[in-house]
Amino acid sequence: MPLLQYLEPGRIEVGCDEAGRGCLAGPVAAAAVILPPDFSNDLLNDSKKLTERQRNLLRPIIEREALAWCVVMVSAEEIDKINILNASIVGMQRAIDGLAVRPEHILVDGNKFRPYQDITYTTIVKGDGKFMSIAAASILAKTHRDEYMERIARDYPQYQWSKNKGYPTKEHRVAILEHGITEHHRRTFGPCLQPSLFDEI
C-alpha cells in the first residue's frame, strides 16, 4: 500500500519520529520533516523496512527536497533523568522547534505525545509505514543516529557500536560485563544498572 502524503490535504503537516529508544548506549534521535505537496519517491518507506544503503540514498534527497527538517539528539544523561518516553517526546518537540517553517499540524509515529504550543497533533501507530512525512523523519532520525554511534565507536571499539549502534546484542552485553559502562551508556537501563542480569549469557 503506497504511503499517504497527508492526513488532511491543504495543511502544512510535519511528520515526527525517533530512533534508538531500545538502545543501551547513545542518544535517542528525534526528527521532524515537512515535505512539499508534490514530493514523491518510490523508495520511501519505514526506515526499518529499508536497507542501510537505501536509507543513506534517501537521506540527502529528503534533506534537499524537504520544505524544512530538523534532527535532535537527546543524550543518555538526559534519558536517565527524564526516562526514554519523555526523552522521545521532548526530542520530537525540540526538532519541531528547529524547523524553519511552522507546521499547522503534527503527525507523530506511535501513540504518545504531548500538546505542543497551539498546534494540533495526531498520533499514528506504525505511522512510519503509512505517511510520507513520518517515514522521512524515521529515515533522518535513523541515519543521523547511526552516524553518531559510528563516530563515538572509534573511542570505544570494544562495544562494537559501529555494528550494533548501541542496541543490546550479545556482543554488546558481554562487553558491558567485561569492561563496565561508559559515559554514553544509559545508566537506568537494566543491563547497565545491573550487569549481573546477563550472567546467563
Side-chain angles (χ1 to χ4, degrees):
M1 184 175 177
L3 300 181
L4 301 173
Q5 286 185 304
Y6 297 102
L7 180 64
E8 291 187 18
R11 289 193 297 187
I12 300 174
E13 290 182 346
V14 59
C16 295
D17 202 0
E18 49 69 31
R21 277 187 67 165
C23 295
L24 301 180
V28 63
V33 178
I34 299 175
L35 294 174
D38 59 348
F39 183 85
S40 177
N41 189 295
D42 292 339
L43 189 58
L44 184 65
N45 205 338
D46 170 8
S47 65
K48 295 184 291 297
K49 296 178 181 178
L50 301 173
T51 65
E52 181 178 11
R53 179 177 178 276
Q54 289 173 325
R55 291 192 295 267
N56 288 334
L57 283 172
L58 282 165
R59 172 177 163 177
I61 295 171
I62 295 165
E63 293 178 353
R64 182 177 64 247
E65 298 188 20
L67 295 177
W69 65 272
C70 182
V71 177
V72 168
M73 301 286 175
V74 182
S75 70
E77 181 180 10
E78 188 168 2
I79 291 169
D80 286 337
K81 288 179 180 176
I82 65 175
N83 78 45
I84 188 61
L85 174 60
N86 287 326
S88 299
I89 293 172
V90 165
M92 287 188 280
Q93 293 185 341
R94 287 176 184 167
I96 299 169
D97 283 339
L99 294 172
V101 176
R102 178 178 167 82
E104 296 171 337
H105 191 72
I106 303 166
L107 301 180
V108 182
D109 182 56
N111 61 1
K112 295 281 194 287
F113 198 63
R114 286 197 204 91
Y116 172 82
Q117 297 183 10
D118 59 348
I119 304 174
T120 57
Y121 68 88
T122 302
T123 56
I124 302 160
V125 175
K126 297 184 179 178
D128 47 5
K130 297 174 182 176
F131 288 90
M132 286 187 182
S133 60
I134 302 179
S138 76
I139 289 164
L140 294 196
K142 173 66 174 167
T143 54
H144 278 261
R145 186 181 186 281
D146 283 358
E147 185 177 75
Y148 179 92
M149 294 305 296
E150 288 164 8
R151 188 165 64 248
I152 65 172
R154 297 168 198 156
D155 296 326
Y156 298 95
Q158 64 270 38
Y159 298 98
Q160 299 187 44
W161 291 334
S162 60
K163 179 182 175 183
N164 63 52
K165 305 302 189 289
Y167 282 91
T169 61
K170 181 176 180 179
E171 292 78 13
H172 190 184
R173 292 179 290 165
V174 168
I176 291 174
L177 276 175
E178 292 179 351
H179 304 285
I181 60 174
T182 70
E183 71 269 28
H184 299 293
H185 281 97
R186 301 174 185 179
R187 296 170 182 270
T188 54
F189 280 46
C192 300
L193 183 67
Q194 190 177 352
S196 61
L197 288 174
F198 288 131
D199 285 347
E200 72 276 7
I201 61 178

